[in-house]
Amino acid sequence: MTVQNIVVDGLRKRFGSKQALDGMSFTVDAGRVTGFIGPNGAGKSTTMRVVLGLDRPDGGTALVGGHPYRTLPRPLTELGSLLDASALQPSRTARNHLLWLAHSQGLGVRRVDEVIELTGLGSAARRRAGGFSLGMRQRLGIAAALLGDPRTLMLDEPFNGMDPEGIIWMRGFLRELAQQGRAVLVSSHLMSELQDTADHVVVAGRGRVLADTTVAQLRATISDGRVSVRTDDPNAAAALIAAGAAVVATEPGTLSVTGLPAPAIVAALNARQVVFSEVTAHRATLEEAYLELTRDAVEYRAGEVAR
Amino acid sequence: MTVALRAEWTKLRTSPGTAWLLLAIVALTIGVGAAAAATITCGAAGCPEDPAKISLTGVQLGQALVVILAVSSISGEHATGMLRVSLSAVPNRLRLLTAKALVVTGAIGAAGLVAVAGSFAAGRLLLPGSGFTEAHGFERLSLSEAAVLRATAGSVLYLVLIALVALGLSTVVRETAASIGLLLALLYLIPLLTQAVSSPSWKRHLQQITPTAGLSIQATTKLSSLPLTPWQGVGVLGCWAVGSLVLAAVVLHRRDV
């Protein structure tokens, strides 16, 4: 029997009048990057804090490798995490920050130098971490998460503050970690940051899971079957309606067609010898899929202020 | 536990402020003690001063820096959020607090020992020049005298206990400035206000329950005039230290961080 790397089951947590977690449940499996996506306030960070035993849930359980995090004897060798890249003492050097963390797990200075190398911190590691850019702090946070060579990684918004070069590095790095057989959970409030990185997505909103699926499936479920047809032929609409489609002229020379798949549309147009220049099946982008899913779960939205 | 202890020690040692603070504790304590020993004079036989206590005067100022070091060992983590990183490395909160307390005890114990030994040496050297001579009825300050040994060793213990009170209370308070303010008020403002209490019995009761009651460990003469005996005074401070740490443990155990 395989033990899932992280199992979050029915987590509930209330902060004052706000239900931060409302039955959050999902698993994080080995060998893939799981994206944890949702608007601000969806409960992503709270879930991660509960997994680490920092916040106590009102109900539900969170297990890491089958055990509550608090009971792990050397937790960083099981789960490496990065919640807040700025959570360090600014006057301490990056290397010394990693050194005390290493000592807390019974690891030595050699492992510290390894993760410095691995994350490309290089000579900056001997500088005070307080002077680091957010991007450099993220690298330091990743280095800290990797210290214990854990089989599970959990990163909260690791792309924040990174320059484009850093983002590309981070994407490749996360994929590589998953290819090594590790489970990687990465949160983001932007789908675009994860669409080339995550294999699996858990979409959260208002403290619970809205969708738990693969990236490809998420795209497919939202795709609404609209097809655009570019043609100047006045008979086009009639030909398509005769074939059983619903047609709307969206702009001059373009028809939006529903009710017929693209190959059937091409066949219908050819049968009536209608000339067309383009037939495009409309595919929802992941961003659109995500917005569709979370539409009702967004907590703060422009316009609501006026209510 | 040993790995948590080692991590806390690495943390303290690699914080650039630590070495300076420990050095300042030693310098300030010896400096003030030496200044007191050089300037407080005994003109004739039977003067009321307590020479051992004079030489250890610097402890009363050194404790302020002890408070700053102990408070920053935890409140800095609260301020930056590093406490979450610490707890993800050492999830057992009681273990983390214990490791911090032991490391602070070790650092302040060592610095306090040097500071107090230096103060004693300065007193032994300077007090005869200020009139604390055999002609005026004072032996040269010596550790072979039980009361002097108790005052000196007890001053080291006093500084360690003050550090533990500071660690405990700042764990509860979280905020650096508020914690230091609270501790300095306990150590300086309350004793000052106590002086203004007109009722002698109230005054005595207040002096018996504040953390600075522990300073009675420094007294070597006229012990009967003290609000508490030397060891009772340290006992009161010890209760403050234990109480603060227990409160800190309970709060830290329950709190979401």
Side-chain angles (χ1 to χ4, degrees):
Chain A
M1 193 191 82
T2 57
V3 178
Q4 271 130 342
N5 296 54
I6 297 178
V7 180
V8 164
D9 187 16
L11 289 184
R12 310 182 71 82
K13 176 81 183 171
R14 176 176 282 280
F15 293 115
S17 66
K18 187 182 179 321
Q19 190 72 41
L21 297 180
D22 191 10
M24 183 75 78
S25 304
F26 61 88
T27 64
V28 181
D29 297 335
R32 67 186 188 189
V33 176
T34 301
F36 191 18
I37 310 164
N40 292 327
K44 306 186 295 293
S45 298
T46 307
T47 302
M48 290 185 167
R49 281 201 305 273
V50 170
V51 169
L52 291 175
L54 299 173
D55 281 9
R56 212 180 288 258
D58 302 331
T61 55
L63 299 179
V64 176
H67 305 280
Y69 188 86
R70 279 200 193 201
T71 66
L72 300 173
R74 294 198 304 160
L76 300 189
T77 60
E78 190 71 36
L79 170 67
S81 61
L82 169 59
L83 290 198
D84 174 5
S86 297
L88 41 80
Q89 227 142 4
S91 56
R92 191 175 285 119
T93 67
R95 192 166 180 275
N96 281 336
H97 178 70
L98 294 170
L99 188 61
W100 76 254
L101 269 172
H103 284 167
S104 76
Q105 308 299 303
L107 300 167
V109 68
R110 184 187 296 177
R111 183 61 190 157
V112 169
D113 290 328
E114 277 173 19
V115 295
I116 287 173
E117 188 69 28
L118 211 56
T119 52
L121 278 171
S123 58
R126 292 190 184 263
R127 294 210 320 261
R128 291 184 174 199
F132 279 14
S133 67
L134 187 50
M136 284 301 279
R137 286 182 197 202
Q138 298 282 24
R139 281 181 195 253
L140 174 56
I142 302 283
L146 289 171
L147 259 182
D149 194 18
R151 49 188 213 103
T152 311
L153 284 144
M154 185 170 76
L155 315 171
D156 196 7
E157 303 269 359
F159 296 98
N160 266 5
M162 283 207 143
D163 54 19
E165 196 186 333
I167 289 175
I168 290 167
W169 168 80
M170 180 75 86
R171 282 182 175 155
F173 196 63
L174 294 179
R175 277 196 299 263
E176 199 183 307
L177 290 169
Q179 276 160 15
Q180 291 166 1
R182 298 177 216 262
V184 183
L185 179 68
V186 188
S187 82
S188 176
H189 62 284
L190 295 174
M191 186 77 217
S192 55
E193 283 180 341
L194 294 178
Q195 61 184 359
D196 302 326
T197 313
D199 315 291
H200 197 91
V201 281
V202 173
V203 182
R206 291 198 191 277
R208 61 162 73 107
V209 173
L210 302 174
D212 184 345
T213 180
T214 64
V215 171
Q217 267 172 352
L218 179 64
R219 219 189 279 258
T221 49
I222 303 299
S223 189
D224 56 5
R226 260 187 303 134
V227 178
S228 296
V229 176
R230 277 186 179 278
T231 172
D232 291 325
D233 194 320
N235 299 322
L240 291 169
I241 290 165
V247 181
V248 179
T250 46
E251 53 191 279
T254 305
L255 301 173
S256 178
V257 184
T258 47
L260 268 192
I265 289 172
V266 172
L269 293 174
N270 283 338
R272 301 279 185 111
Q273 291 172 347
V274 173
V275 179
F276 60 94
S277 60
E278 187 183 326
V279 173
T280 317
H282 180 265
R283 288 177 62 96
T285 63
L286 274 183
E287 202 68 42
E288 286 171 310
Y290 164 60
L291 288 174
E292 176 72 25
L293 270 171
T294 57
R295 187 185 296 155
D296 299 326
V298 175
E299 199 179 1
Y300 309 103
R301 197 201 311 263
E304 277 192 353
V305 182
R307 261 200 330 209
Chain B
M1 187 65 219
T2 44
V3 288
L5 201 59
R6 177 142 187 242
E8 282 305 319
W9 168 239
T10 306
K11 229 189 252 180
L12 188 73
R13 155 176 91 71
T14 58
S15 179
T18 305
W20 289 111
L21 266 173
L22 291 176
L23 211 62
I25 289 169
V26 171
L28 197 67
T29 305
I30 297 177
V32 170
T39 52
I40 296 175
T41 54
C42 179
C47 51
E49 276 80 14
D50 179 342
K53 197 173 164 62
I54 289 172
S55 69
L56 295 170
T57 308
V59 167
Q60 291 184 48
L61 204 57
Q63 66 180 355
L65 299 182
V66 167
V67 162
I68 292 173
L69 186 130
V71 165
S72 53
S73 78
I74 180 80
S75 71
E77 294 208 21
H78 272 121
T80 57
M82 198 176 87
L83 189 60
R84 289 190 203 102
V85 181
S86 295
L87 285 174
S88 66
V90 183
N92 185 324
R93 299 180 182 196
L94 192 60
R95 187 175 298 167
L96 184 76
L97 184 65
T98 308
K100 270 195 192 300
L102 287 174
V103 166
V104 164
T105 297
I108 297 300
L113 190 65
V114 175
V116 167
S119 302
F120 167 80
R124 187 177 154 88
L125 203 70
L126 296 169
L127 282 171
S130 303
F132 293 91
T133 54
E134 281 189 40
H136 293 160
F138 292 99
E139 299 274 338
R140 184 175 270 257
L141 217 52
S142 164
L143 288 179
S144 58
E145 202 181 322
V148 176
L149 180 64
R150 186 251 301 143
T152 315
S155 292
V156 181
L157 181 61
Y158 174 85
L159 289 174
V160 167
L161 291 173
I162 289 289
L164 294 178
V165 172
L167 176 68
L169 291 184
S170 65
T171 302
V172 177
V173 174
R174 287 191 261 194
E175 227 267 309
T176 309
S179 303
I180 291 177
L182 172 69
L183 266 301
L184 295 188
L186 268 178
L187 295 183
Y188 298 107
L189 190 63
I190 304 287
L192 204 66
L193 293 178
T194 309
Q195 294 299 319
V197 175
S198 53
S199 154
S201 66
W202 269 105
K203 190 167 162 179
R204 201 173 163 82
H205 282 314
L206 282 171
Q207 284 169 342
Q208 282 168 346
I209 59 167
T210 47
T212 41
L215 279 173
S216 59
I217 195 74
Q218 293 185 339
T220 58
T221 60
K222 289 184 297 184
L223 298 182
S224 58
S225 69
L226 291 170
L228 288 171
T229 68
W231 286 111
Q232 279 175 342
V234 165
V236 168
L237 179 58
C239 289
W240 273 87
V242 170
S244 305
L245 287 174
V246 167
L247 186 64
V250 170
V251 168
L252 197 59
H253 183 71
R254 292 187 165 193
R255 192 150 64 191
D256 286 349
V257 296

